[in-house]
């Protein structure tokens, strides 16, 4: 990708513009950077098939957006595809810019074919590895790219400067129309087919048919240290990543620095990013970088072929055998826990909320609903002839037809309700005593139910996995905030025994809640807007594993969400 020098030149020669006079309420960046995104269909040849996929600017993965801490980004998105589209800037806190967050029907209605919408936001006190992706249907399968934010000029990384940096985006690829696939799966009530391939920077690699040359490669200078910016943009699968014979030192997670932690492999759920340092300190050869699935659910169907890219020393015989990477078993929960245990914030954090004003207890899990269709063969292909669903506190989130933010802002009362419960209806042994005679006692309620939070509330959320249908590690993502992961464990959360880290917890935006376990996160609700919180498996999101937090305005213009932009897409 970009060698160090070119990257910095790119930063220096970014288009500089004077601060926007009309936007006094926005935090001011130093530089404004413009990007033009054209969402369009592109023909690609992959896995012995020729397919039309949706891309940005005919690139797959899409263009990298570069910025520096404090910069303002202005990205004009024009939708030339036949599908509805939006773009979400994953991990960007969107301070006072909720209108530009991107999740469809939460903060905006989709950009319809032929329309455009300009996203504008500032990278306030954030730097590191982010990504952007479509946030409509399952379009993210091909509509994604990296968003790299460098520290302010003169501010070094808290680790030795790497010789080069490379972006590694994990993905899942389907050789069929993904928007149609989502429609079919939801209409069927059943589960989707597994992806045709896992990909690294869009390449399946040599283990798949017709892919011997469809492989990503990094060329190495022996002895140098490389920074890999790992991003999991995959749709429905968590993945392990490892490099043959090389150690990985984690230095950043979800765009926040961590204490260096060295390991043989890492796991990333969809929505997670990790920066790792790798030293090219092995004998000259070609090594495999590999990704393979982490499957914590029972009876799940999945693609079992690993995706491989090459980590190749200069001087290695070009077509020599590549040394294989050793990935953990698909259900190696311990490997996942080991990496999680190793994630600690770089410094002691003074702003971890020690006192809590509000606790939300959210159960997360799957459901099977009783068949309500007159044509069960077509529509009730889920377990025991039911329809599959997912929920928080046993409520499947139904996306409204007007965005929650617009409805809230304009005082419309018909599109959502403010009555999302702060705890499940009843407490029981969520993990081992879960109702499980599908579809008789595994039904979920439906609703566009949201939780309203006063500005400045110090919030704790307990995320509790349930055993209904199956326990599973769910990557739960919160928009608009990073949160401290103050605790996690297996089994049911118990406040008496839970061990909390209020000293140096990692500051993340997506947390893989342990399979059959819980996680506790804390943040101060000081960014007004409507913030989606959901499972980053698109399948579970479509099934309803989500809700929205409405954070009210505080006092004065620095605590108040500005007016919507004039070009906000209409519903
Ligand atoms: Cu990366 Cu709501 O998503």
């Amino acid at each position: 990708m970009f060698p160090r020098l070119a990257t910095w030149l790119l930063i220096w020669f970014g288009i500089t513009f004077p601060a926007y006079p009309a936007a006094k309420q926005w935090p001011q960046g130093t530089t404004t950077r413009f990007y033009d995104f054209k969402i369009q269909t592109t023909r690609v040849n992959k896995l012995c098939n020729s397919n039309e996929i949706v891309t940005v600017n005919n690139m797959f993965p899409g263009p990298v957006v570069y910025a520096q801490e404090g910069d303002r980004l202005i990205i004009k998105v024009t939708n030339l595809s036949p599908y509805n589209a939006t773009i979400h800037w994953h991990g960007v806190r969107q301070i006072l810019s909720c209108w530009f967050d991107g999740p469809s029907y939460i903060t905006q209605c989709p950009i319809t074919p032929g329309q455009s919408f300009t996203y504008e936001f500032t990278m306030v006190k954030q730097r590191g590895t982010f990504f952007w992706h479509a946030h409509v249907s399952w379009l993210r399968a091909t509509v994604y790219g990296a968003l790299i934010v460098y520290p302010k000029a003169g501010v070094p990384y808290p680790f030795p400067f790497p010789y080069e940096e490379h972006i590694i985006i994990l993905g899942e690829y389907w050789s069929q129309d993904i928007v149609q696939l989502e429609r079919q799966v939801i209409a069927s009530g059943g589960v989707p087919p597994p992806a045709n391939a896992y990909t690294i920077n869009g390449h399946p690699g040599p283990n798949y048919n017709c892919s011997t040359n469809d492989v990503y490669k990094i060329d190495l200078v022996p002895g140098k240290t490389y920074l890999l910016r790992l991003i999991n943009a995959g749709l429905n699968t968590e993945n392990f990543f490892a490099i043959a014979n090389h150690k990985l030192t984690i230095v950043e997670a979800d765009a926040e620095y961590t204490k260096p932690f060295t390991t043989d492999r890492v796991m990333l759920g969809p929505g997670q990013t990790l920066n790792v340092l790798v030293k090219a300190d092995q004998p000259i050869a070609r090594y495999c970088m590999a990704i393979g699935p982490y499957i914590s659910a029972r009876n799940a169907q999945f693609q079992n072929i690993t995706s491989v890219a090459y980590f190749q020393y200069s001087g290695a015989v070009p077509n020599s055998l590549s040394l294989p990477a050793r990935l953990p078993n698909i259900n190696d929960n311990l490997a996942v826990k080991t990496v999680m245990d190793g994630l600690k914030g770089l410094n002691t954090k003074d702003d971890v909320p020690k006192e809590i004003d509000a606790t939300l207890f959210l159960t997360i899990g799957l459901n099977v609903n009783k068949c309500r269709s007159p044509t069960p063969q077509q529509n009730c292909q889920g377990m025991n002839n039911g329809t599959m669903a997912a929920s928080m506190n046993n409520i499947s989130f139904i996306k409204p037809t007007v965005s929650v933010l617009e409805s809230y802002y304009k005082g419309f009362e018909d599109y959502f309700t403010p009555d999302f419960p702060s705890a499940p209806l009843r407490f029981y042994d969520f993990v081992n005593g879960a109702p499980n005679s599908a579809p008789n006692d595994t039904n979920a309620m439906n609703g566009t139910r949201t939780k309203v939070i006063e500005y400045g509330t110090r919030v704790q959320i307990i995320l509790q996995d349930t055993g209904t249908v199956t326990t599973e590690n769910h990557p739960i993502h919160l928009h608009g905030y990073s949160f401290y992961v103050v605790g996690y464990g297996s089994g049911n959360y118990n406040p008496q025994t839970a061990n909390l880290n209020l000293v140096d917890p990692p500051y993340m935006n997506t947390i893989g809640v342990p399979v059959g376990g819980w996680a506790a996160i804390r943040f101060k609700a000081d960014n007004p807007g409507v913030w989606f919180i959901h499972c980053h498996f698109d399948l579970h999101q479509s099934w309803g594993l989500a809700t929205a937090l409405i954070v009210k305005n505080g006092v004065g213009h620095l605590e108040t969400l500005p007016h919507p932009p004039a070009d906000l897409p209409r519903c």
Side-chain angles (χ1 to χ4, degrees):
M1 290 252 156
F2 275 97
R4 163 175 72 166
L5 184 64
T7 308
W8 285 106
L9 287 177
L10 218 136
I11 294 287
W12 286 332
F13 291 107
I15 314 159
T16 310
F17 249 74
Y20 248 29
K24 222 177 97 222
Q25 69 269 46
W26 302 103
Q28 297 295 301
T30 39
T31 298
T32 300
R33 293 171 202 282
F34 295 87
Y35 284 85
D36 210 8
F37 274 25
K38 299 252 183 323
I39 301 183
Q40 54 196 270
T41 50
T42 303
R43 186 155 283 282
V44 294
N45 292 309
K46 257 185 210 303
L47 305 164
C48 322
N49 278 304
S50 169
N51 288 101
E52 296 243 292
I53 62 169
V54 181
T55 65
V56 168
N57 300 352
N58 276 322
M59 293 164 75
F60 177 60
V64 182
V65 173
Y66 288 101
Q68 205 171 359
E69 180 177 339
D71 283 351
R72 186 148 185 81
L73 280 164
I74 300 187
I75 302 133
K76 181 174 185 192
V77 177
T78 304
N79 185 4
L80 305 174
S81 84
Y83 308 105
N84 281 342
T86 70
I87 301 289
H88 167 56
W89 316 91
H90 183 111
V92 177
R93 278 175 218 140
Q94 300 290 4
I95 309 288
L96 300 184
S97 52
C98 186
W99 296 107
F100 302 104
D101 190 36
S104 56
Y105 302 108
I106 305 299
T107 64
Q108 69 166 97
C109 285
I111 309 168
T112 51
Q115 298 305 117
S116 56
F117 178 49
T118 301
Y119 292 86
E120 301 193 22
F121 52 90
T122 301
M123 296 305 309
V124 184
K125 294 188 185 145
Q126 287 193 278
R127 77 228 63 73
T129 303
F130 303 81
F131 71 122
W132 53 263
H133 62 77
H135 212 307
V136 149
S137 179
W138 291 355
L139 261 198
R140 170 160 65 93
T142 56
V143 180
Y144 60 78
L147 164 54
I148 307 298
V149 183
Y150 289 93
K152 289 195 164 153
V155 178
Y157 292 139
F159 44 83
F161 206 89
Y163 176 69
E164 272 178 16
E165 331 186 338
H166 294 265
I167 295 164
I168 306 274
I169 312 186
L170 321 185
E172 273 175 287
Y173 186 86
W174 274 264
S175 298
Q176 61 186 289
D177 184 312
I178 198 76
V179 175
Q180 246 179 43
L181 178 69
E182 190 222 10
R183 267 189 227 128
Q184 285 165 6
V185 168
I186 297 310
S188 78
V191 298
N196 295 91
Y198 302 113
T199 55
I200 298 178
N201 290 342
H203 302 284
N207 293 346
Y208 292 92
N209 292 337
C210 310
S211 304
T212 318
N213 297 314
D214 197 353
V215 42
Y216 181 72
K217 174 165 76 83
I218 298 178
D219 289 306
L220 305 166
V221 175
K224 301 291 187 192
T225 297
Y226 292 78
L227 177 67
L228 306 185
R229 297 176 177 272
L230 308 176
I231 298 167
N232 191 346
L235 220 54
N236 295 328
T237 313
E238 303 187 302
N239 270 297
F240 290 110
F241 172 89
I243 307 178
N245 299 14
H246 288 75
K247 300 251 179 238
L248 314 171
T249 300
I250 300 173
V251 291
E252 183 192 298
D254 285 6
E256 290 288 330
Y257 296 128
T258 59
K259 293 196 172 74
F261 176 72
T262 302
T263 170
D264 290 321
R265 61 275 173 109
V266 294
M267 193 285 281
L268 295 100
Q272 295 188 302
T273 68
L274 283 177
N275 282 7
V276 298
L277 293 171
V278 186
K279 188 150 203 253
D281 58 1
Q282 294 299 305
I284 289 177
R286 187 165 81 176
Y287 298 86
C288 287
M289 296 188 270
I291 63 171
Y294 167 49
I295 305 292
S296 57
R298 285 185 301 270
N299 304 321
Q301 293 177 41
F302 59 93
Q303 173 57 264
N304 204 14
I305 301 174
T306 58
S307 174
V308 163
Y310 296 135
F311 198 64
Q312 181 163 333
Y313 286 65
S314 77
V317 187
N319 290 318
S320 57
L321 269 184
S322 31
L323 284 99
R326 291 196 22 222
L327 291 167
N329 290 333
I330 57 151
N331 59 356
D332 191 341
N333 299 327
L334 186 62
V336 175
K337 181 178 184 305
T338 306
V339 175
M340 210 160 156
D341 289 346
L343 291 183
K344 301 271 188 267
L346 178 61
N347 301 310
T348 302
K349 304 295 175 104
D350 303 324
D351 58 343
V352 183
K354 308 255 174 352
E355 312 278 315
I356 296 300
D357 304 310
T359 295
L360 273 178
F361 191 105
L362 302 180
T363 61
I364 54 175
L366 303 188
N367 299 86
V368 180
N369 290 334
K370 281 195 187 132
C371 184
R372 297 198 190 289
S373 163
T375 51
Q377 278 91 337
Q378 277 107 68
N379 308 121
C380 301
Q381 298 176 8
M383 192 182 284
N384 298 339
N385 305 314
T387 58
M388 302 305 295
S391 59
M392 279 185 173
N393 284 351
N394 219 37
I395 301 161
S396 294
F397 186 84
I398 306 293
K399 285 193 173 178
T401 50
V402 172
S403 86
V404 178
L405 180 59
E406 187 174 341
S407 310
Y408 173 69
Y409 185 84
K410 296 186 173 163
F412 301 161
E413 296 202 331
D414 299 342
Y415 298 98
F416 72 94
T417 55
D419 59 348
F420 187 87
S422 298
L425 268 183
R426 65 190 185 89
F427 280 78
Y428 55 95
D429 180 348
F430 296 109
V431 177
N432 299 303
N436 240 324
S437 133
N440 302 314
D441 60 2
T442 55
N443 289 258
M445 295 170 280
N446 279 343
T448 308
R449 297 170 68 173
T450 65
K451 177 76 197 165
V452 181
I453 296 171
E454 295 295 327
Y455 183 94
T457 306
R458 291 162 298 178
V459 181
Q460 169 165 276
I461 301 180
I462 307 295
L463 297 158
Q464 174 70 57
D465 188 28
T466 77
T468 303
V469 184
T470 176
T471 53
E472 182 167 11
N473 181 305
H474 293 276
I476 303 294
H477 173 51
L478 172 62
H479 288 227
Y481 293 91
S482 295
F483 46 73
Y484 288 109
V485 181
V486 296
Y488 54 90
S490 58
N492 295 294
Y493 170 72
N494 176 345
Q496 259 78 56
T497 54
N499 212 337
L500 300 188
N501 174 6
L502 302 177
V503 177
D504 60 354
Y507 198 39
M508 305 179 81
N509 61 58
T510 306
I511 174 69
V513 178
V515 51
W518 58 274
I521 64 174
R522 292 186 179 187
F523 62 97
K524 186 169 171 204
D526 56 3
N527 188 16
V530 176
W531 305 110
F532 207 26
I533 175 170
H534 64 91
C535 181
H536 216 279
F537 292 144
D538 270 13
L539 175 65
H540 293 180
Q541 203 199 126
S542 301
W543 281 347
L545 213 175
T547 186
L549 308 180
I550 300 183
V551 177
K552 290 199 196 169
N553 286 332
V555 179
H557 73 274
L558 288 177
E559 299 179 358
T560 299
L561 183 68
H563 298 304
D567 60 343
L568 187 72
R570 297 185 190 287
C571 297

Short mmCIF file of all heavy atoms in Angstrom, two decimals, residues 88 90 133 135 477 479 532 534 536, ligand 1:
data_model
loop_
_atom_site.label_atom_id
_atom_site.label_comp_id
_atom_site.label_asym_id
_atom_site.label_seq_id
_atom_site.Cartn_x
_atom_site.Cartn_y
_atom_site.Cartn_z
N HIS A 88 -21.46 4.81 6.51
CA HIS A 88 -21.19 5.02 7.94
C HIS A 88 -19.68 5.07 8.15
O HIS A 88 -18.94 4.32 7.52
CB HIS A 88 -21.81 3.87 8.75
CG HIS A 88 -21.35 3.81 10.18
ND1 HIS A 88 -21.46 4.87 11.04
CD2 HIS A 88 -20.78 2.80 10.90
CE1 HIS A 88 -20.97 4.51 12.23
NE2 HIS A 88 -20.54 3.26 12.17
N HIS A 90 -17.20 4.22 10.56
CA HIS A 90 -17.20 3.35 11.73
C HIS A 90 -16.10 3.74 12.72
O HIS A 90 -14.92 3.72 12.38
CB HIS A 90 -17.04 1.90 11.26
CG HIS A 90 -17.09 0.90 12.36
ND1 HIS A 90 -18.12 0.01 12.52
CD2 HIS A 90 -16.23 0.64 13.36
CE1 HIS A 90 -17.89 -0.74 13.57
NE2 HIS A 90 -16.75 -0.38 14.10
N HIS A 133 -18.20 2.08 5.75
CA HIS A 133 -18.94 1.01 5.07
C HIS A 133 -20.38 1.41 4.83
O HIS A 133 -20.91 2.29 5.53
CB HIS A 133 -18.86 -0.30 5.86
CG HIS A 133 -19.45 -0.28 7.25
ND1 HIS A 133 -20.80 -0.33 7.49
CD2 HIS A 133 -18.86 -0.22 8.48
CE1 HIS A 133 -21.02 -0.33 8.80
NE2 HIS A 133 -19.86 -0.25 9.43
N HIS A 135 -24.29 1.22 5.14
CA HIS A 135 -25.10 0.85 6.32
C HIS A 135 -26.55 0.72 5.91
O HIS A 135 -27.44 1.36 6.47
CB HIS A 135 -24.91 1.87 7.43
CG HIS A 135 -25.00 1.29 8.82
ND1 HIS A 135 -26.06 0.53 9.25
CD2 HIS A 135 -24.14 1.36 9.88
CE1 HIS A 135 -25.85 0.17 10.53
NE2 HIS A 135 -24.68 0.66 10.92
N HIS A 477 -21.62 -3.21 18.63
CA HIS A 477 -21.04 -1.92 18.24
C HIS A 477 -21.95 -0.78 18.68
O HIS A 477 -23.16 -0.85 18.48
CB HIS A 477 -20.86 -1.90 16.72
CG HIS A 477 -20.42 -0.57 16.17
ND1 HIS A 477 -19.34 0.13 16.66
CD2 HIS A 477 -20.92 0.19 15.16
CE1 HIS A 477 -19.20 1.26 15.98
NE2 HIS A 477 -20.15 1.32 15.07
N HIS A 479 -22.59 3.32 18.16
CA HIS A 479 -22.27 4.50 17.37
C HIS A 479 -22.10 5.72 18.29
O HIS A 479 -22.68 5.77 19.37
CB HIS A 479 -23.42 4.80 16.40
CG HIS A 479 -23.52 3.83 15.25
ND1 HIS A 479 -23.68 4.24 13.95
CD2 HIS A 479 -23.48 2.49 15.22
CE1 HIS A 479 -23.75 3.18 13.16
NE2 HIS A 479 -23.64 2.10 13.90
N PHE A 532 -27.14 4.28 17.23
CA PHE A 532 -27.49 2.87 17.05
C PHE A 532 -26.54 2.01 17.87
O PHE A 532 -25.34 2.29 17.95
CB PHE A 532 -27.31 2.55 15.55
CG PHE A 532 -28.17 1.44 15.03
CD1 PHE A 532 -29.38 1.10 15.61
CD2 PHE A 532 -27.77 0.72 13.90
CE1 PHE A 532 -30.17 0.08 15.09
CE2 PHE A 532 -28.54 -0.30 13.37
CZ PHE A 532 -29.75 -0.62 13.97
N HIS A 534 -25.80 -2.14 18.09
CA HIS A 534 -26.28 -3.34 17.39
C HIS A 534 -25.18 -4.37 17.26
O HIS A 534 -23.99 -4.06 17.39
CB HIS A 534 -26.80 -2.96 16.00
CG HIS A 534 -25.76 -2.39 15.08
ND1 HIS A 534 -25.02 -3.16 14.23
CD2 HIS A 534 -25.34 -1.12 14.87
CE1 HIS A 534 -24.19 -2.40 13.54
NE2 HIS A 534 -24.37 -1.14 13.91
N HIS A 536 -22.78 -6.40 15.09
CA HIS A 536 -22.16 -6.07 13.80
C HIS A 536 -22.16 -7.24 12.83
O HIS A 536 -21.56 -7.16 11.75
CB HIS A 536 -20.76 -5.50 14.00
CG HIS A 536 -20.41 -4.41 13.02
ND1 HIS A 536 -19.98 -4.70 11.74
CD2 HIS A 536 -20.44 -3.07 13.11
CE1 HIS A 536 -19.74 -3.55 11.10
NE2 HIS A 536 -20.02 -2.55 11.91
CU1 LIG B 1 -19.88 -0.51 11.48
CU2 LIG B 1 -23.66 0.40 12.73
O1 LIG B 1 -21.80 -0.09 12.05
#
